[in-house]
Amino acid sequence: MDMSEEDVAEKNYRSTLPGPLGVVDTWISNIEAVILAMGVILMAINTVANVISRFALGESLHFAEEVNRILIIMITFAGIGYAARHGRHIRMSAFYDVLPTGGRRALMIFICLFTALVMFVLCYFSIGYIQTLYGRGRVLPSLSIPVWTIYLWVPIGFTITGIQYLLTAFKNLTSRDVYLSTHVVDGYKDTETEV
């Protein structure tokens, strides 16, 4: 099984940003990769254990649903930063594609700055939501964990994603190429297969 250059780049991520920005970017990327991998593995183990328990013992694990809920929130909000870092976000590019390189770069800078702003605003509102949950004092029935703690991943994910978009804007400001993320150059791959 051959790995594409992009798969190898994602596996061995090294930031192309200068100085301390690159060190921080690489460090955050490694943490995200561990969180995503462990989250998916733990969710699979939890789900399989719940199915085995249901068939072998006749009843489900009482905590399985709550554990999966926590893991889904963690994976989702760690994953948005990962998607932004690797240029895997959805984009509509009909207008963007007809622009010359300078116009695409300017539009990409605007898009990145605007998206970063949206991420930071969502972070602000998510912190307010967590404060509301904290004030209510609710806990998960099976695990007895305060509900507000499982949502801590939300502002963390929004913050990391906002920072990633700021770094992408910086990369586009300091480069001649157009970047979708700090290390993914804009362009299309030839996806046809030879027969």
Side-chain angles (χ1 to χ4, degrees), residues 43-186:
M43 190 181 301
I45 291 169
N46 183 50
T47 302
V48 169
N50 191 38
V51 169
I52 291 171
S53 174
R54 190 176 316 132
F55 284 108
L57 304 175
E59 63 181 67
S60 297
L61 300 173
H62 63 282
F63 57 84
E65 184 180 333
E66 292 176 2
V67 169
N68 276 351
R69 180 177 167 191
I70 293 167
L71 292 171
I72 287 170
I73 292 167
M74 181 181 74
I75 291 167
T76 300
F77 289 96
I80 58 174
Y82 182 88
R85 172 172 288 101
H86 294 284
R88 297 293 178 99
H89 40 74
I90 297 172
R91 58 192 178 115
M92 293 174 271
S93 59
F95 175 70
Y96 173 86
D97 286 344
V98 299
L99 294 173
T101 302
R104 285 198 323 259
R105 188 179 321 104
L107 185 56
M108 185 56 70
I109 292 167
F110 171 76
I111 289 168
C112 289
L113 292 175
F114 181 76
T115 305
L117 176 66
V118 169
M119 292 296 111
F120 293 132
V121 168
L122 289 172
C123 176
Y124 172 79
F125 284 116
S126 67
I127 290 170
Y129 179 69
I130 290 171
Q131 289 173 333
T132 301
L133 288 175
Y134 178 79
R136 292 182 180 160
R138 291 181 39 214
V139 296
L140 295 173
S142 295
L143 298 174
S144 298
I145 296 172
V147 172
W148 65 271
T149 60
I150 69 173
Y151 291 103
L152 289 174
W153 290 107
V154 177
I156 292 169
F158 283 139
T159 300
I160 289 172
T161 306
I163 291 168
Q164 191 59 44
Y165 277 106
L166 286 177
L167 293 173
T168 302
F170 175 78
K171 182 73 171 184
N172 280 300
L173 283 168
T174 60
S175 174
R176 294 184 61 200
D177 291 324
V178 181
Y179 282 83
L180 299 176
S181 71
T182 56
H183 73 286
V184 178
V185 179
D186 183 27

